[in-house]
Amino acid sequence: MKHVTVSGPAHRQVGAESSRLGLTRTEYADAAIRYFAERGLNPVEAQAREGQLIMAEIKRLGDRVFSYLQEQERGLLLEMVRSQLRQQAVQEQTLRVVENLLAPEGGEALHKIQQRNQARIAEATAAGLAAMDIKALNKKS
C-alpha cells in the first residue's frame, strides 16, 4: 500500500463520501483515481469533465450514424443508376426489334435478334457502370 497526501478539506470529503457509500477511504480514492485515469480526464477541470464525456459520446454516435447513412445512400444511388442505364439499353434494343420486325425475316430470325438484344442490353448496362467514376460517386454521397 502506498500513501498519498491530500488537503484537509479533501480528506474530510473523502471521509464523508466513503462513509455514505459504505466504502473505505482507500476504496473510494482508488475508484476516483481510476475514474479519471480510464477516461483520460483532468480532475482539476471540474466543469469540463462531464461535458467532455458527453460530447465525445455524441460525436462517436454521430459519426456512426453519418457513416451508416452514407453507405445507404451510395447503395441506393448506384442501384438507381444501374436501373436507369438498363432501362435506356432496353429502350434502344426494343427499337431495334421493332425495326427488324418490319423486315420480312420470319420467326427464327426474330428469336436470334431477341437473344442478341438481351446480350447487348447486358453489355450496355455493364459498360455504362464501368464508364462511371465510382470513386467520384462515393465521394459525393
Side-chain angles (χ1 to χ4, degrees):
M1 181 181 305
K2 302 290 181 179
H3 294 279
V4 176
T5 303
V6 295
S7 67
H11 189 267
R12 282 189 292 282
Q13 284 181 316
V14 168
E17 287 301 305
S18 62
S19 294
R20 183 179 68 83
L21 298 171
L23 301 170
T24 66
R25 289 179 176 158
T26 301
E27 290 171 331
Y28 185 85
D30 283 348
I33 291 167
R34 278 195 313 276
Y35 175 85
F36 289 106
E38 289 171 0
R39 289 165 177 78
L41 299 174
N42 181 348
V44 177
E45 297 174 3
Q47 293 176 344
R49 279 193 300 257
E50 294 304 318
Q52 287 173 339
L53 287 174
I54 292 168
M55 291 306 294
E57 187 65 17
I58 288 172
K59 182 178 181 335
R60 188 182 67 77
L61 291 173
D63 289 348
R64 286 181 62 196
V65 168
F66 186 68
S67 176
Y68 174 79
L69 290 174
Q70 281 185 315
E71 194 60 38
Q72 294 300 315
E73 288 174 354
R74 274 193 289 270
L76 180 62
L77 183 57
L78 189 57
E79 191 54 42
M80 288 172 47
V81 169
R82 180 180 287 120
S83 175
Q84 181 61 34
L85 288 170
R86 187 178 191 315
Q87 183 63 31
Q88 183 178 350
V90 167
Q91 288 175 349
E92 290 172 3
Q93 295 307 316
T94 301
L95 288 174
R96 288 188 185 138
V97 168
V98 170
E99 289 172 356
N100 288 320
L101 282 175
L102 296 175
E105 293 185 359
E108 185 62 33
L110 179 59
H111 182 68
K112 288 180 182 178
I113 291 169
Q114 288 173 331
Q115 287 177 331
R116 276 192 313 234
N117 284 341
Q118 289 301 319
R120 287 179 184 157
I121 289 169
E123 289 171 11
T125 302
L129 286 172
M132 289 176 44
D133 184 358
I134 297 299
K135 288 181 183 176
L137 178 64
N138 287 339
K139 288 179 183 175
K140 290 179 183 176
S141 53

